[in-house]
Amino acid sequence: MEKKYSVAIYPSQDVIDSVKTMKDYLKTKIEWYNSCNSVGHITICEFTFDDSQIDKYKQKLFKICDTFTTFPVYLNDFGSYENAGAFYITPNEDSKNNLKPIMKKVQESLKPLKLKKSDDPHMSIGRKLTPENLKIASQLFTTIDIDFLCKEIVLRELDPVKKQFFVIDTFSFNGNVQPEFVQGSLF
């Protein structure tokens, strides 16, 4: 059966709680909006496929994450994609430079799948906001300074009724370096 999945980086519970507080506050000002109920996260990719293959892709995610090393992520600014009506928290440059290779390698490990990819690491507060609501969000939230240790990624499945993703598996960063394969010569 075809299902929709997402691979994402979840921050610490403290950051999840802070993002929820921001989303709830925005909701008091503009009422319901897209992603007001979603857990704070950094999307790596989304895809739809037959769930009979899920174990194969879980194995790929486990293998790639096993090689990643934990690192701190500093979220220190807000931004927006005006054409998409998205308002988000953005990591500082060092954090972006650490997140981008992780995102790219995860996306490459899921290569045969048709992915909807994210190339710009960010944590959405709201999506599909009207220009007026985007302006309200940018006036409400002007400074931020939070951080978390990036130590895992999660695989999430979309609940078609609630229209929210829920975590079905977690893949830890273990820092295990894979030996480089070197073609040897017999003679």
Side-chain angles (χ1 to χ4, degrees), residues 16-186:
I16 288 172
D17 293 344
S18 294
V19 171
K20 181 175 180 359
T21 300
M22 286 185 256
K23 288 179 178 226
D24 289 348
Y25 185 57
L26 181 59
K27 194 173 169 183
T28 67
K29 301 297 181 186
I30 65 172
E31 298 182 355
W32 185 91
Y33 60 91
N34 283 71
S35 80
C36 67
N37 295 320
S38 69
V39 173
H41 65 279
I42 297 172
T43 300
I44 296 175
C45 60
E46 292 180 3
F47 52 92
T48 303
F49 79 117
D50 185 330
D51 64 345
S52 65
Q53 305 171 50
I54 193 70
D55 289 337
K56 170 181 157 184
Y57 290 102
K58 282 183 178 184
Q59 194 58 39
K60 287 182 176 212
L61 290 171
F62 170 78
K63 201 170 182 179
I64 192 77
C65 288
D66 191 48
T67 67
F68 296 150
T69 305
T70 61
F71 59 92
V73 173
Y74 299 96
L75 303 162
N76 67 347
D77 205 358
F78 293 99
S80 63
Y81 301 124
E82 291 185 20
N83 58 341
F87 184 77
Y88 57 85
I89 306 168
T90 186
N92 69 10
E93 280 307 305
D94 284 345
S95 297
K96 276 187 183 181
N97 291 337
N98 287 327
L99 287 164
K100 284 182 179 181
I102 300 281
M103 294 168 74
K104 191 173 180 68
K105 286 177 183 172
V106 168
Q107 291 164 356
E108 285 171 3
S109 76
L110 301 172
K111 200 69 159 209
L113 297 172
K114 186 176 179 183
L115 302 177
K116 179 181 166 191
K117 301 181 205 174
S118 174
D119 300 334
D120 185 25
H122 65 279
M123 196 171 295
S124 294
I125 299 292
R127 294 181 305 109
K128 298 181 184 174
L129 299 175
T130 64
E132 300 80 35
N133 288 345
L134 205 52
K135 185 177 180 186
I136 289 168
S138 66
Q139 290 170 341
L140 289 176
F141 306 111
T142 55
T143 60
I144 189 162
D145 185 16
I146 54 179
D147 62 89
F148 68 94
L149 188 62
C150 183
K151 59 184 174 129
E152 62 194 14
I153 64 169
V154 296
L155 177 63
R156 308 180 310 160
E157 183 182 312
L158 184 67
D159 180 326
V161 176
K162 292 182 180 176
K163 304 234 184 284
Q164 291 291 323
F165 284 101
F166 62 95
V167 175
I168 59 170
D169 214 336
T170 302
F171 304 90
S172 298
F173 296 179
N174 298 320
N176 290 323
V177 181
Q178 295 292 317
E180 289 290 319
F181 179 73
V182 179
Q183 181 68 46
S185 172
L186 292 173

